[in-house]
Amino acid sequence: QVQLVESGGGLVQPGGSLRLSCAASGSIFSITAMGWYRQAPGKERDLVATITSGGSTNYADSVKGRFTISRDNAKNTVFLQMSSLKPEDTAVYYCYANVRPSGGRYYHNYWGQGTQVTVSS
């Protein structure tokens, strides 16, 4: 069994910063990509940022230059540093990891439970 636990969400004023963390644990053989998606009320879940095990990153255009994704491979943890936050960044943020479980042959996407980020004055 693989679990992803997120932390770091909350309420922040426009222009402020937040740092999200997501730790994967359980029966893990290896992890390739990790990343973040977000879902605002009434909208679909959209990609925010991804990072490979080698450190290659990809960002949604709406967050480029404001958000930075990073990871600690030794701790199976991914981070999202969010700066210059805007009200439109308000959403539930979900982390994911593409994991090959111990004893398994294939990779599967696992998801965290989500953490609320609210940007408001």
Side-chain angles (χ1 to χ4, degrees):
Q1 196 66 279
V2 176
Q3 300 86 34
L4 273 65
V5 178
E6 299 136 339
S7 61
L11 173 65
V12 63
Q13 292 186 342
S17 298
L18 278 176
R19 187 183 193 227
L20 306 182
S21 301
C22 173
S25 62
S27 301
I28 297 171
F29 179 78
S30 67
I31 301 176
T32 56
M34 301 183 79
W36 296 89
Y37 279 69
R38 67 185 181 186
Q39 187 167 21
K43 296 189 177 181
E44 295 184 351
R45 190 176 297 190
D46 293 325
L47 172 72
V48 176
T50 62
I51 184 167
T52 67
S53 56
S56 296
T57 59
N58 182 50
Y59 296 93
D61 287 343
S62 59
V63 306
K64 283 181 181 176
R66 300 188 298 122
F67 291 10
T68 301
I69 190 170
S70 60
R71 66 191 278 177
D72 183 335
N73 289 332
K75 296 182 178 179
N76 292 333
T77 300
V78 63
F79 306 96
L80 186 68
Q81 178 66 47
M82 305 184 292
S83 302
S84 301
L85 282 160
K86 305 174 181 180
E88 51 263 43
D89 294 316
T90 296
V92 177
Y93 284 69
Y94 297 91
C95 73
Y96 84 94
N98 191 239
V99 178
R100 179 180 171 184
S102 299
R105 296 176 59 189
Y106 303 106
Y107 285 86
H108 305 276
N109 276 345
Y110 292 85
W111 293 87
Q113 79 285 358
T115 185
Q116 178 70 47
V117 172
T118 302
V119 184
S120 176
S121 55

